[in-house]
Amino acid sequence: MEMTLRWYGTGFDSVTLKQIRQVPMVKGVITTLYDTVPGQAWPKERIQAMKNEVERSGLHLAGIESVNIHDDIKVGLPSRDQYIENYIKTLEGLGEADIHMVCYNFMPVFDWTRSDLKKSLPDGSTVLSYDQELVDQIDVDKMLSSMEANANGFTLPGWEPERMARVKELFEMYKDVDEEKLFQNLCYFLRAIMPTCKKYGINMAIHPDDPAWPVFNLPRIITGKEKILRLLSAVPDAENGLTLCTGSLGSNPLNDIPDMIHAFKDRIHFAHVRNIHHLAPGKFDEAPHPTSLGSLDIYAIMKALFDTGFDGPIRPDHGRMIWDEVAMPGYGLYDRALGATYLSGLWEAIERNAKG
């Protein structure tokens, strides 16, 4: 496996490539062109400049997260074919730049949802938190301003102001889209891009829905084992695979993540490994990475990845805000660095034990 951190790019991230380079065992970054909008074809010269910047720092550009998908594709409007063509142009640019993994999601309206971006823990750190009872009370028209007020001055991924300014329009777009229609629209998109993915060796790694259940009555289709297996079977190309996000899948305590890793082996192209603390049904806090500090067995997850031969990029995903750091919620340097070293230590121990 290749240990990485997510990096949003110069001008968008409080964390620098120089700092990431100094985290033990971190060899690469997962990045994006953060100022592009869904549906826009990425200019090839910008892709190459992004890669050059990462490599000059001594790191490897291990993949892209995300090339966001236009809502017309998700809804299935006639205009989707033009946006799919733009997506293919972006994939061609990535392939020509020797970039071979794209993490993406197919969630309607909101890429992810939390009820609190800075919930205080007893140790004084703050974390992202979800409480369904609080979410049910949210006025979606005011949700963007609430999120922005707690984002420490950063633009949150999936909460782009230009999209959220159209939130009523977006909800109207999806009013007739149920789970089955959303699933079929995803398959249509994937079948259209698979020839390009095969040509350039690009693995598409869909991110699970976060949290793993419907929110605001919007459909969710990547929430557990059976739904993911259905997608992998419907588009059986090896390039159609999964981002194994333990926090998203783990939001539902019924999801057995080590079992899912074995079920999806050879189709996991990317892994987000983080811990969460279940408080009640529909209520959880994000937690420090070690197994004993949350509800997920991180050791068992890492061992399942090792046992199934996972050799792709992995990142510690979200972290707490600790040591008075001010950063994009979930994406500070310090706790993610601790997470990266913890996960690397587990991997080394598992690997050495396997060798006897």
Side-chain angles (χ1 to χ4, degrees):
M1 65 90 180
E2 178 182 13
M3 185 58 64
T4 68
L5 285 187
R6 188 173 187 179
W7 181 64
Y8 287 95
T10 301
F12 301 103
D13 204 316
S14 62
V15 182
T16 67
L17 290 171
K18 179 180 179 181
Q19 291 171 323
I20 294 173
R21 180 70 177 82
Q22 296 171 15
V23 180
M25 304 308 295
V26 171
K27 304 300 182 184
V29 296
I30 305 294
T31 190
T32 188
L33 293 179
Y34 198 46
D35 56 349
T36 55
V37 297
Q40 175 184 350
W42 290 12
K44 292 182 180 180
E45 61 273 15
R46 291 202 62 199
I47 293 173
Q48 190 61 53
M50 171 180 63
K51 184 182 180 188
N52 291 345
E53 182 181 12
V54 170
E55 291 182 342
R56 281 195 301 268
S57 74
L59 292 162
H60 171 232
L61 202 168
I64 299 296
E65 183 180 351
S66 301
V67 181
N68 289 324
I69 297 173
H70 197 278
D71 289 293
D72 288 14
I73 299 174
K74 297 179 185 179
V75 173
L77 299 182
S79 53
R80 65 180 171 180
D81 290 328
Q82 181 56 57
Y83 289 117
I84 291 173
E85 281 303 310
N86 289 348
Y87 206 98
I88 288 171
K89 290 177 183 176
T90 297
L91 292 176
E92 289 172 344
L94 294 173
E96 290 172 10
D98 200 27
I99 300 169
H100 300 287
M101 192 281 292
V102 174
C103 171
Y104 71 104
N105 75 76
F106 217 74
M107 288 179 264
V109 185
F110 305 115
D111 281 9
W112 54 278
T113 308
R114 294 292 184 272
S115 55
D116 195 337
L117 299 182
K118 49 177 64 176
K119 180 178 178 180
S120 295
L121 298 184
D123 63 4
S125 63
T126 63
V127 296
L128 305 176
S129 178
Y130 188 93
D131 185 333
Q132 189 64 55
E133 291 184 4
L134 295 177
V135 171
D136 290 340
Q137 300 170 25
I138 291 174
D139 180 348
V140 293
D141 292 335
K142 300 177 181 178
M143 194 166 180
L144 176 61
S145 58
S146 174
M147 296 286 279
E148 287 180 333
N150 291 288
N152 297 329
F154 293 88
T155 299
L156 298 169
W159 289 84
E160 297 81 6
E162 65 275 3
R163 286 187 69 252
M164 292 300 100
R166 303 168 45 234
V167 69
K168 285 186 176 180
E169 178 185 338
L170 290 173
F171 269 88
E172 182 65 20
M173 284 180 66
Y174 284 96
K175 67 184 175 85
D176 296 322
V177 179
D178 59 12
E179 285 193 10
E180 184 59 27
K181 186 172 183 179
L182 189 65
F183 178 82
Q184 294 303 331
N185 291 342
L186 171 57
C187 292
Y188 182 96
F189 164 73
L190 286 170
R191 288 168 183 146
I193 68 170
M194 280 297 108
T196 303
C197 292
K198 288 183 180 299
K199 178 179 178 180
Y200 291 99
I202 296 174
N203 289 324
M204 296 296 296
I206 193 166
H207 190 286
D209 300 332
D210 188 5
W213 55 77
V215 179
F216 302 121
N217 295 315
L218 295 166
R220 298 290 180 113
I221 57 173
I222 308 297
T223 57
K225 182 178 179 180
E226 297 308 317
K227 290 183 177 181
I228 294 171
L229 286 174
R230 184 189 180 200
L231 177 64
L232 299 181
S233 298
V235 185
D237 308 73
E239 293 81 5
N240 171 37
L242 176 70
T243 294
L244 182 93
C245 180
T246 64
S248 298
L249 293 169
S251 62
N252 182 350
L254 297 179
N255 281 334
D256 182 338
I257 296 175
D259 172 71
M260 294 166 79
I261 292 170
H262 284 274
F264 309 144
K265 65 180 180 179
D266 302 326
R267 302 289 286 277
I268 298 173
H269 299 318
F270 182 29
H272 294 176
V273 181
R274 60 181 168 91
N275 210 341
I276 62 172
H277 183 200
H278 292 126
L279 303 173
K283 185 176 181 179
F284 62 86
D285 292 343
E286 298 193 357
H289 287 80
T291 294
S292 62
L293 300 179
S295 301
L296 304 183
D297 189 337
I298 303 300
Y299 169 81
I301 288 168
M302 293 295 284
K303 188 172 188 306
L305 287 169
F306 179 87
D307 290 344
T308 54
F310 176 75
D311 62 357
I314 185 172
R315 67 176 181 85
D317 206 12
H318 304 166
R320 302 168 295 152
M321 288 295 111
I322 62 173
W323 303 337
D324 300 319
E325 185 176 18
V326 178
M328 184 186 297
Y331 285 100
L333 172 65
Y334 305 143
D335 200 44
R336 288 191 300 151
L338 295 177
T341 53
Y342 171 73
L343 297 177
S344 296
L346 285 180
W347 190 273
E348 179 182 348
I350 293 166
E351 186 174 46
R352 292 184 66 174
N353 186 62
K355 293 178 179 177

